Amino acid sequence: MTTLQGKLAMVTGAGGGLGREIAAQFVAAGARVLLTDIDGERVAAAARELGPAAAACTLDVADESSWDAAMAAAAALGELDILVNNAGILLPGSIEDATLAQWRQLMRVNADSVFIGCQRGLRAMKSRGGAIVNIASISSWMPVDGYAAYGASKASVAALTRSVALHCRKRGIAVRVNSVHPDGIWTPMMQASAPGVDAARLLFDAKANRGGRACTPDKVAQVVHFLASDAASHVSGTEIRVDNAILGYGL
C-alpha cells in the first residue's frame, strides 16, 4: 500500500460502506482522517474503531453551512491534503415512474454535494496542493434500467470532475481531481436495493465467478488510495472504471 504518512484526509459518507473502508485504508497508510457523515453517532463510532488517527464530524453534504463547519473541523486538525467526495444515495425510478422530488433528492445528495465539496476542498488546498477523489459510477456512461435520475446525478459528478481538473491545470493549481466509477459495490446500500440476491453469485471473482458484477469495498478503496497518494502525482482529470470490463464489453 502506498504511504499517506503525514497527510490529512477528509472522507464524506464515512459512517459505513465504502467511505468507512476508504478511511480505514487511509489510517493504515499513515494518514490522519476526518470521517464525516450525516449520521453523527454512526460516524463517531466508526472513528473510534479506527483509533487516535481518526476523528469524526457530522456533515450534511448538500448544505453549504454544514460543509463550512466540517472544513473548520478539518482545519483544526491541520492543513487538508486529501478530500474524498464519497457520500451518495441510490433511489430507483425510471423516467416514467420517478418523481421530481426523487430527482431533486438524488441531485442534491449526489451532485450538489460534490460541487460544494470540490469548491471548499479547492479553497483549503489551493496554496499547498492536494488531491480530490470523487466517487461516481459506471452509470455515468452506461444506462441502468430503472435508475434514470441516479445515472444522471453520477454523470454530473464525472463532468464536474473533468471541469475542476482543467481549472486547476490552466491556473497552475497543484490540486489533482479524479473520479472513480465502480459498477456495483457490495455495501448495505446496494444490498438494500437487491433483496434476496445471493452475494456469491453477484460478486465478481477473477477465478471463481467471472460472471459477477459487484465489487467489494476494499478493492474500490484501493483505487481511491492510489489516486489520493503521491504515486498518482501525474494523474488528474481521469476517470477510472472499477467495473470488471462491463462498460467495455457490454452486459
Side-chain angles (χ1 to χ4, degrees):
M1 298 296 284
T2 305
T3 182
L4 298 177
Q5 194 67 42
K7 305 282 189 181
L8 174 62
M10 178 176 171
V11 182
T12 70
L18 177 61
R20 190 197 178 286
E21 179 62 30
I22 292 168
Q25 289 194 20
F26 282 9
V27 167
R32 291 172 298 145
V33 184
L34 178 63
L35 290 77
T36 71
D37 199 282
I38 197 168
D39 188 333
E41 292 184 4
R42 186 184 187 208
V43 77
R48 285 194 297 271
E49 290 173 0
L50 295 182
C57 177
T58 303
L59 171 61
D60 177 350
V61 291
D63 181 80
E64 287 190 281
S65 61
S66 187
W67 264 104
D68 291 338
M71 296 307 292
L77 299 174
E79 294 183 297
L80 190 67
D81 299 291
I82 300 163
L83 170 64
V84 181
N85 286 307
N86 164 74
I89 58 173
L90 177 66
L91 297 175
S94 73
I95 191 60
E96 291 194 89
D97 54 39
T99 66
L100 183 58
Q102 289 173 321
W103 169 275
R104 287 174 172 165
Q105 185 181 6
L106 279 159
M107 289 298 175
R108 182 175 180 271
V109 178
N110 292 357
D112 291 2
S113 65
V114 179
F115 170 81
I116 303 170
C118 285
Q119 189 177 74
R120 296 321 196 260
L122 186 56
R123 287 177 187 172
M125 293 186 277
K126 186 175 181 178
S127 63
R128 299 175 60 248
I132 297 174
V133 184
N134 298 325
I135 305 301
S137 167
I138 196 65
S139 64
S140 299
W141 304 289
M142 182 184 74
V144 178
D145 187 34
Y147 288 86
Y150 176 79
S153 71
K154 290 300 188 178
S156 174
V157 173
L160 180 65
T161 299
R162 295 191 296 270
S163 178
V164 179
L166 177 64
H167 175 91
C168 293
R169 168 72 177 182
K170 290 290 189 180
R171 289 158 181 79
I173 300 170
V175 175
R176 299 180 296 101
V177 191
N178 295 288
S179 56
V180 176
H181 298 252
D183 187 7
I185 310 174
W186 194 242
T187 63
M189 185 170 76
M190 182 181 181
Q191 293 164 25
S193 73
V197 173
D198 180 12
R201 179 175 62 84
L202 189 63
L203 285 171
F204 177 88
D205 185 282
K207 294 182 179 179
N209 185 25
R210 296 194 63 83
R213 290 182 54 187
C215 313
T216 52
D218 60 309
K219 300 303 183 186
V220 181
Q222 287 169 10
V223 177
V224 176
H225 180 169
F226 163 71
L227 290 173
S229 75
D230 291 341
S233 61
H234 289 253
V235 182
S236 190
T238 195
E239 302 164 335
I240 295 185
R241 303 199 307 263
V242 188
D243 68 344
N244 304 310
I246 289 297
L247 185 64
Y249 297 96
L251 295 174

